[in-house]
Amino acid sequence: MQELHDAPLAPLTTFRLGGPAGRLVTAGTDDEVIAVVREADAAGTPLLVVGGGSNLVIGDKGFDGTALRIATKGFVLDGTTLELAAGEVWTDAVARTVEAGLAGIECLAGIPGSAGATPIQNVGAYGQEVSATITEVVAYDRRADETVTLSNAACDFSYRHSRFKADPDRYIVLRVRFELEDAAGLSAPIKYAETARALGVEAGDRVPLAHARETVLKLRAGKGMVLDPEDHDTWSAGSFFTNPILTAAEYETFLARVAERLGDGVTPPAFPGGADGSVKTSAAWLIDKAGFTKGYGSGPARISTKHTLALTNRGEATTEDLLALAREVVAGVRDAFGITLVNEPVTVGVSI
């Protein structure tokens, strides 16, 4: 276990932003993770858990407390059952499951961050979400001071949400268990239209696993969503805003605003939002149609040149630069369409 004081946090995030931590502890085992958490809780010290840093916006003043970096390792594959330690690099784990010929998370290739973060956010992309394959999450329950195992149902998964996100100060994810599929080297059925088009197949078809993964990586790279230190479009948190989910009434009001602003005949993207008849629309479409196009901005924080949903650090930005841009986008979309965008990354010491 490594301990540093007045330690920079920016290098631990994909934004490369944020001030230092009063104390930074790197834990390599579950026991070390639990020991650091117990110590902080007993002393009443603020605690910040850091995994891959791909979903964090840390204030310029940093974090006055203990930052716990989870660096645990463990990839255990037993038939179609996979257990990952929280500190495992997610992209590497996906690659290894594809190499093993197992389907279920191949379209989640290229997503930065650690395995332990995936159930918190119910990470998803290109037609797959981890909630479809997670069977159990092993976590340290700070309230009960014990290690617990939560079933899939107990995780309360929904779109980019979970029990862990709803109660962020209670659980520390230690291990995640998945049930994958042996489909004779083929992928899970392709659900996402863009992926199907890129693969040249119909929705519902299966393709060779490696082909599915490689295609998703190319799609993500084209949007600046695969980390590259030399490409400032990847100095981001990926999608900065979640796709809004509207009630049927809200959607009708939204359509009227679209017609008023863009004219009759313009139909925004719409997808089923749930069994209650709600509708999910595209945050990227809203941002673009509100006037924030690719590359928008003149300062050190700008919208990606490849994807309107990514806010980026062009190399010299501060967190306040990023937040100013985020607030401008939120206000612009609200004024244009009456919808308030919600940020996907977790903010530390700041708010949008």
Side-chain angles (χ1 to χ4, degrees):
M1 190 159 60
Q2 182 188 65
E3 180 173 332
L4 299 172
H5 293 270
D6 195 28
L9 291 176
L12 302 182
T13 74
T14 52
F15 266 123
R16 295 165 173 80
L17 295 176
R23 175 177 177 241
L24 172 64
V25 180
T26 299
T29 69
D30 290 353
D31 286 345
E32 289 178 353
V33 170
I34 293 170
V36 174
V37 176
R38 280 181 171 151
E39 177 192 26
D41 288 348
T45 303
L47 180 71
L48 170 64
V49 178
V50 180
S54 61
N55 205 43
L56 276 180
V57 178
I58 299 172
D60 291 317
K61 292 182 179 180
F63 182 72
D64 187 15
T66 295
L68 167 60
R69 180 170 174 263
I70 296 181
T72 54
K73 296 297 179 185
F75 179 102
V76 180
L77 193 58
D78 182 8
T80 56
T81 299
L82 171 68
E83 180 180 280
L84 295 177
E88 282 288 332
V89 176
W90 176 251
T91 54
D92 294 346
V94 172
R96 290 177 70 177
T97 64
V98 169
E99 289 170 3
L102 297 178
I105 57 176
E106 63 278 0
C107 290
L108 302 178
I111 295 176
S114 62
T118 60
I120 298 172
Q121 192 76 0
N122 186 15
V123 163
Y126 296 100
Q128 290 182 345
E129 288 182 330
V130 292
S131 58
T133 49
I134 287 176
T135 56
E136 293 178 329
V137 175
V138 180
Y140 173 65
D141 183 341
R142 298 168 72 181
R143 193 174 301 165
D145 186 23
E146 64 180 4
T147 299
V148 296
T149 300
L150 290 85
S151 67
N152 181 289
C155 292
D156 293 336
F157 289 122
S158 59
Y159 172 65
R160 301 298 175 271
H161 201 69
S162 69
R163 181 175 186 171
F164 312 106
K165 190 173 181 179
D167 197 356
D169 295 326
R170 180 168 181 178
Y171 297 102
I172 307 295
V173 174
L174 301 174
R175 297 187 173 268
V176 189
R177 294 173 181 148
F178 301 81
E179 184 61 32
L180 304 177
E181 179 188 7
D182 185 348
L186 296 179
S187 70
I190 301 298
K191 296 180 179 180
Y192 199 66
E194 182 184 11
T195 315
R197 286 195 300 271
L199 288 164
V201 300
E202 298 294 325
D205 288 349
R206 296 176 184 262
V207 300
L209 273 166
H211 189 30
R213 174 178 173 270
E214 290 161 5
T215 298
V216 166
L217 287 173
K218 289 178 182 177
L219 288 171
R220 291 186 64 87
K223 299 174 183 178
M225 298 291 187
V226 176
L227 294 181
D228 179 353
E230 303 302 317
D231 182 0
H232 285 288
D233 277 331
T234 74
W235 290 34
S236 75
S239 298
F240 195 87
F241 300 103
T242 58
N243 290 324
I245 297 178
L246 311 175
T247 66
E250 289 170 339
Y251 184 65
E252 290 303 317
T253 301
F254 168 52
L255 289 178
R257 294 288 291 267
V258 170
E260 178 183 338
R261 181 178 178 88
L262 303 176
D264 293 332
V266 176
T267 303
F271 312 92
D276 58 356
S278 58
V279 180
K280 180 173 19 176
T281 191
S282 165
W285 187 91
L286 290 168
I287 293 167
D288 181 72
K289 299 304 180 185
F292 303 100
T293 53
K294 295 174 184 176
Y296 178 88
S298 57
R302 304 178 200 172
I303 289 177
S304 167
T305 66
K306 300 181 180 72
H307 193 9
T308 55
L309 203 47
L311 309 188
T312 67
N313 170 11
R314 308 316 293 184
E316 300 295 332
T318 64
T319 301
E320 279 305 311
D321 292 327
L322 176 77
L323 294 177
L325 176 61
R327 292 170 186 140
E328 183 183 2
V329 171
V330 169
V333 169
R334 185 191 301 119
D335 290 346
F337 300 111
I339 293 175
T340 300
L341 294 176
V342 176
N343 53 288
E344 189 167 326
V346 174
T347 55
V348 178
V350 292
S351 59
I352 303 300

